[in-house]
């Protein structure tokens, strides 16, 4: 498990509970072409059906019981969404695309003194953003590194929300961002982030 997405959708129907695995790309291709406001979803023999007034599409599915699921994270912290929407535009552009150096593809989040510090570097550029007075799950001097690809996905859906919830499973090293009924999980990058503070000068000639 690297990334995992989970959501809940209210539906009407007689089916109380059913677990299936479908190919989301094929279903999305059809849904993006549909212009109808009302869509019916149901099962017919061994197929998953997406039907509108004019279109009926049939998809095969499997019932794999061993499908991997993320851990249930009970301890969650509610935060303003601005924590990420404010910071990420100034940080993500400095992450690396070189997968051979996984630690540089992530964003380091560090709790130090009164600050929550976000840092990213590709080895040439360095971006650091400090926020004061944020209560988070991190202990003093503790940090986590989140993949930039994960944060880019979250950034696209977070802008119009006021509150989000975050959680962290230290045992399985899984990070959670929860937005309404949507849950975004990511495994943290379990490596040591470069000592970025050493290259930041103590004094500045221009401010």
């Amino acid at each position: 498990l690297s990334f995992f997405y989970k959501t809940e959708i209210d539906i009407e129907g007689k089916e109380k509970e059913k677990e299936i695995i479908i190919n989301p790309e094929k279903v999305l291709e059809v849904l993006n072409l549909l212009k109808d406001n009302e869509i019916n979803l149901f099962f017919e023999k061994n197929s998953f059906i997406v039907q509108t007034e004019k279109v009926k599409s049939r998809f095969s599915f499997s019932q794999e019981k061993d499908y991997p699921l993320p851990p249930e994270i009970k301890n969650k912290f509610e935060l303003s969404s601005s924590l990420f929407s404010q910071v990420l535009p100034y940080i993500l552009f400095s992450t690396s695309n070189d997968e051979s150096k996984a630690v540089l593809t992530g964003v380091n989040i560090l709790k130090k003194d009164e600050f929550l510090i976000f840092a990213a570097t590709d080895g040439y550029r360095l971006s650091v953003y400090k926020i004061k007075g944020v209560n988070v799950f991190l202990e003093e001097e503790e940090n986590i590194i989140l993949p930039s690809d994960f944060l880019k996905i979250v950034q696209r859906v977070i802008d119009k929300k006021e509150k989000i919830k975050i959680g962290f499973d230290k045992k399985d090293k899984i990070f959670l961002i929860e937005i309404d009924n949507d849950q975004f999980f990511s495994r943290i990058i379990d490596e040591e982030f470069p000592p970025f503070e050493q290259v930041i000068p103590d004094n500045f000639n221009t401010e």
Side-chain angles (χ1 to χ4, degrees):
L1 171 66
S2 294
F3 301 152
F4 192 98
Y5 170 72
K6 180 182 178 181
T7 191
E8 295 182 0
I9 302 173
D10 293 330
I11 60 173
E12 297 179 358
K14 298 180 180 179
E15 196 78 45
K16 293 184 177 179
E17 184 174 327
K18 193 176 186 69
E19 294 184 10
I20 64 169
I21 300 173
I22 59 175
N23 185 325
E25 292 183 355
K26 292 182 179 180
V27 176
L28 284 173
E29 285 178 5
V30 172
L31 293 177
N32 287 333
L33 294 174
L34 298 178
K35 298 181 180 180
D36 302 78
N37 292 326
E38 184 174 322
I39 299 175
N40 296 311
L41 308 175
F42 58 93
F43 299 98
E44 191 175 88
K45 295 183 179 180
N46 293 321
S47 298
F48 174 66
I49 308 298
V50 177
Q51 183 174 0
T52 66
E53 184 177 348
K54 298 180 180 180
V55 178
K56 182 177 181 180
S57 300
R58 186 183 303 269
F59 304 92
S60 60
F61 65 84
S62 59
Q63 294 177 313
E64 180 57 60
K65 296 181 180 180
D66 296 327
Y67 189 79
L69 294 174
E72 183 180 354
I73 300 178
K74 295 181 179 180
N75 294 327
K76 302 173 187 176
F77 300 81
E78 187 173 81
L79 296 172
S80 169
S81 64
S82 62
L83 176 66
F84 286 95
S85 61
Q86 173 184 341
V87 173
L88 294 181
Y90 294 97
I91 294 294
L92 287 175
F93 73 92
S94 289
T95 57
S96 173
N97 295 320
D98 186 357
E99 295 295 337
S100 66
K101 298 178 181 178
V103 68
L104 299 184
T105 66
V107 173
N108 185 51
I109 304 176
L110 168 68
K111 171 70 168 60
K112 188 172 182 180
D113 299 328
E114 302 177 85
F115 295 94
L116 188 65
I117 304 173
F118 293 75
T121 180
D122 58 4
Y124 301 96
R125 299 172 295 184
L126 171 65
S127 296
V128 178
Y129 199 111
K130 296 182 179 181
I131 298 181
K132 189 175 182 179
V134 178
N135 289 324
V136 291
F137 52 90
L138 296 174
E139 303 293 337
E140 182 66 17
E141 298 285 348
E142 185 181 16
N143 77 301
I144 59 171
I145 305 173
L146 297 178
S148 59
D149 287 345
F150 168 71
L151 292 174
K152 288 173 183 176
I153 293 172
V154 171
Q155 185 183 28
R156 290 200 293 267
V157 298
I158 208 173
D159 288 341
K160 296 181 180 179
K161 305 297 180 180
E162 292 185 0
K163 296 290 184 179
I164 62 172
K165 292 180 180 179
I166 63 173
F168 180 41
D169 186 306
K170 294 186 179 182
K171 179 181 177 181
D172 293 325
K173 299 180 179 179
I174 299 292
F175 186 82
L176 161 69
I177 294 181
E178 183 174 295
I179 307 170
D180 295 334
N181 289 333
D182 299 320
Q183 293 184 323
F184 300 85
F185 297 83
S186 174
R187 187 174 299 280
I188 68 170
I189 299 174
D190 191 17
E191 295 187 24
E192 185 175 349
F193 198 78
F196 64 93
E197 292 178 307
Q198 295 180 7
V199 301
I200 301 176
D202 295 327
N203 300 306
F204 298 90
N205 295 325
T206 303
E207 292 187 4

